[in-house]
Each structure stands twice: as structure tokens, then as C-alpha cells.
């Protein structure tokens, strides 16, 4: 990965928070890319599923949008975790 590029879990939430994506688009893109396999983004995948069943439940679009926005804030503020071990266990 290039040093000036952010991983999708940080970049897409930031784009949504900047108004470049709707909450629905963010949830869809994360779900499409990672499915339910990436624990850090699983909440967004679940919320994407929630969008698909809105007409059958008692939640509103605004409620799901608010949850996606809260999750985007959490992901955007999440401290970066190194992908490679920095220290070997002793």
C-alpha cells in the first residue's frame, strides 16, 4: 500500500462524513467489499442488510442512516493498527 493512501475502512467512512457518499452507499460498499468477514467493518455490513429489509420492520431510513453515521465516526477515529507485528513476543 502506498504511504499516502488510507485503507478502505478509514477512507470510505471519511468520504461519507465529508458528504461524498450517502450512509447507504458507505454501508453497501463496505458490505460488497468485505462481506461479514472483517470484524472491524461487520457492523456496516449488518446495517447494509438492515437497509434491505426496512419496509418489513419498524425502523426508519433516518434511524439506519444515523447508525451508519455513528459507525463511520467510530471507524474514522479508530486508532490505526499495524498490519505487521512490530515486536516479537518474548
Amino acid at each position: 500500500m502506498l504511504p499516502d493512501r488510507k485503507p478502505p475502512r478509514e477512507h470510505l467512512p471519511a468520504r461519507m462524513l465529508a458528504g461524498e457518499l450517502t450512509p447507504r452507499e458507505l454501508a453497501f460498499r463496505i458490505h460488497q467489499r468485505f462481506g461479514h468477514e472483517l470484524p472491524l467493518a461487520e457492523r456496516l455490513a449488518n446495517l447494509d442488510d438492515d437497509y434491505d429489509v426496512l419496509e418489513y420492520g419498524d425502523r426508519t431510513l433516518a434511524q439506519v442512516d444515523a447508525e451508519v453515521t455513528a459507525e463511520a465516526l467510530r471507524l474514522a477515529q479508530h486508532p490505526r493498527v499495524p498490519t505487521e507485528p512490530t515486536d516479537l513476543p518474548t
Side-chain angles (χ1 to χ4, degrees):
M1 181 174 294
L2 298 174
D4 62 334
R5 297 198 58 190
K6 295 180 181 176
R9 69 173 178 82
E10 293 176 3
H11 184 69
L12 288 175
R15 287 184 58 202
M16 193 223 76
L17 294 169
E20 296 175 24
L21 298 172
T22 66
R24 178 68 175 107
E25 289 171 323
L26 171 64
F28 174 77
R29 288 182 184 199
I30 293 292
H31 192 189
Q32 185 178 43
R33 171 67 176 93
F34 300 108
H36 292 268
E37 302 301 318
L38 183 65
L40 191 59
E42 186 174 6
R43 180 72 182 129
L44 287 172
N46 289 334
L47 288 165
D48 182 50
D49 291 337
D50 289 350
Y51 281 113
D52 294 337
V53 296
L54 276 175
E55 65 188 83
Y56 305 109
D58 58 353
R59 297 177 63 199
T60 67
L61 176 63
Q63 289 171 321
V64 179
D65 282 352
E67 288 188 50
V68 170
T69 300
E71 187 63 10
L73 281 167
R74 185 186 74 77
L75 288 171
Q77 296 170 354
H78 192 277
R80 293 184 182 182
V81 177
T83 57
E84 298 292 328
T86 55
D87 292 14
L88 295 174
T90 55

